[in-house]
Each structure stands twice: as C-alpha cells, then as structure tokens.
Amino acid sequence: MIEFGITLKKIRLAKGYSQRFVAEQLNLTRQTVSKWENGRGYPDFENLVLLSELYGVSIDQLVNRKTLNLDRQKVLQMNRKREKVLWLTRQAKILVIAVLTVLVVVSGITFVIAQREQAREEAETVPISRYYVYAVDLKRVVLKKDKTGATTGIISVTTKNNEKIQHPTLTDLTRRRLIIKPKIVESMDPDKVEALSKAPLARNIK
C-alpha cells in the first residue's frame, strides 16, 4: 500500500498538482488524498477511475497490483470499465448535440412556416381604406377602366338574388343593406367582400 501511495504522489507532483487541487477535482478533502499518498488508505474503484482521468494515465499504471492484491485480470477489467464510462460520456454528448441540433432546425422550420402563414393571411385580408366601401352578397361587379387599368366607374353590380343594379350609387347599395362596416371586414372571408371605390360610386350620381 505504501508503494501505491508513493506512485500516486510521484504522478501528482509530475503533473504539478497540489493535494488540495486533486481533492477539489474529486470532491474530497485534502486529508483523504494525503492518506492515500501516505499509505494509510486507498481509493475505491470510482475514485481510481477519476484519478486516472485527472492524471491522464491508465489504472494499470496507477495501481500497484501486488500492494492491492489485484491480479492482471482485475486491472484489465478496471481499464475496460473506465473506457466504457468514457465511451458512454462521449455518446451522451453526441446525443445532446444531436437533440439540440434537431430542436434548432425544427424551431427554424416552425418560424418560417409561421411567417409564411402570417404573410398569406395578410395577403388574403381585404385592405381597409377610407377611400373604399365594402359590400357583401354581390355575385358580380362590372367595372369601367381606362387604358392604364385604373377603375373609372362602376357599370353595374349583381346581387346573389340576381338583382342587377345599373350604375349603382352608395345610396343604392346602402338601401339594399349590401354595405358593411370596415371593422366587420377584418373578421370575414375576403372572397365574400367586395371593396368598391367611393369615387366611381359618386360619379354614378346623376
């Protein structure tokens, strides 16, 4: 056991570590490390593994088999266990990185989908403007346009009841209860709402 303590101390000094530093790394007291090096005790298997990792040596190099009455097979078994612990640790790190990567990718995809959905909803929303009135229950709207494609007039509208209104005015549409308030438009299906420019409606007034 004394030989083990001497070996342990030599390796520690070669690494430039103090007993206090080693104790802190193994979450032990300095007195425990001192007992090991003075031959008044020796570490259990778990602490042997931790010491071998801290000093960067194998358990076979660290342990005096005669002092601890360990045969070659036992030492090899300890080394295999140490390698297994290290392998499991590496695999756990790889798994954590993989999971985090998947989470980042999924979050990114979810964000992009949400942005596209928001853009689509905004595109499908009827724009609210004080220059327009909003009508419902219209089957058809015939517009008069100039060469540039700008609307210059409303020739006629046809309601869902097949009532055709020639050169409709705002009064005509309001009297038939076809006009709705702008605040209601936002909650409606855009396909069911017609945005009619106020200017062409005003021009239809004789």
Side-chain angles (χ1 to χ4, degrees):
M1 191 170 295
I2 295 176
E3 292 181 14
F4 169 73
I6 293 173
T7 301
L8 203 61
K9 185 175 182 178
K10 284 182 178 179
I11 296 175
R12 176 178 64 78
L13 293 176
K15 289 290 182 179
Y17 298 154
S18 66
Q19 288 183 346
R20 185 177 301 279
F21 174 79
V22 174
E24 289 175 352
Q25 299 306 305
L26 273 62
N27 197 25
L28 300 170
T29 63
R30 187 193 64 78
Q31 288 77 9
T32 300
V33 177
S34 177
K35 285 181 180 180
W36 294 345
E37 294 184 355
N38 292 328
R40 291 185 284 112
Y42 59 88
D44 57 18
F45 173 72
E46 182 180 355
N47 283 319
L48 275 176
V49 172
L50 294 176
L51 282 170
S52 69
E53 291 178 354
L54 179 63
Y55 292 156
V57 298
S58 68
I59 294 177
D60 197 10
Q61 293 173 290
L62 194 63
V63 173
N64 185 315
R65 297 193 301 277
K66 292 181 180 179
T67 303
L68 297 180
N69 195 25
L70 296 173
D71 58 18
R72 179 67 179 172
Q73 189 63 30
K74 187 68 174 180
V75 173
L76 291 175
Q77 184 180 2
M78 287 182 175
N79 278 328
R80 283 196 296 270
K81 287 184 178 180
R82 174 178 178 272
E83 291 300 322
K84 185 176 181 180
V85 169
L86 293 176
W87 182 83
L88 289 173
T89 301
R90 287 194 296 268
Q91 295 304 310
K93 290 180 179 179
I94 292 172
L95 180 60
V96 170
I97 293 173
V99 170
L100 290 176
T101 302
V102 171
L103 289 176
V104 170
V105 172
V106 171
S107 298
I109 293 174
T110 302
F111 176 77
V112 171
I113 292 175
Q115 290 294 99
R116 289 181 178 177
E117 184 66 20
Q118 182 179 351
R120 185 184 65 80
E121 291 177 355
E122 290 176 353
E124 292 179 351
T125 302
V126 178
I128 304 301
S129 170
R130 62 191 180 93
Y131 299 107
Y132 287 83
V133 293
Y134 302 92
V136 293
D137 296 331
L138 295 181
K139 182 186 292 185
R140 186 183 180 194
V141 178
V142 180
L143 302 176
K144 182 180 180 181
K145 297 186 177 183
D146 59 19
K147 294 181 180 180
T148 64
T151 300
T152 59
I154 299 177
I155 299 173
S156 67
V157 296
T158 303
T159 68
K160 288 187 176 180
N161 295 327
N162 292 320
E163 179 186 2
K164 189 173 184 179
I165 308 171
Q166 295 286 350
H167 306 292
T169 64
L170 181 58
T171 302
D172 294 331
L173 300 177
T174 303
R175 186 169 58 246
R176 290 172 173 80
R177 297 182 179 179
L178 299 173
I179 300 299
I180 59 174
K181 295 180 179 180
K183 64 180 181 180
I184 301 177
V185 175
E186 297 178 351
S187 62
M188 294 187 64
D189 183 347
D191 293 335
K192 296 181 179 180
V193 180
E194 285 286 347
L196 303 176
S197 176
K198 289 182 179 180
L201 287 171
R203 294 192 192 101
N204 287 340
I205 299 176
K206 297 179 181 179

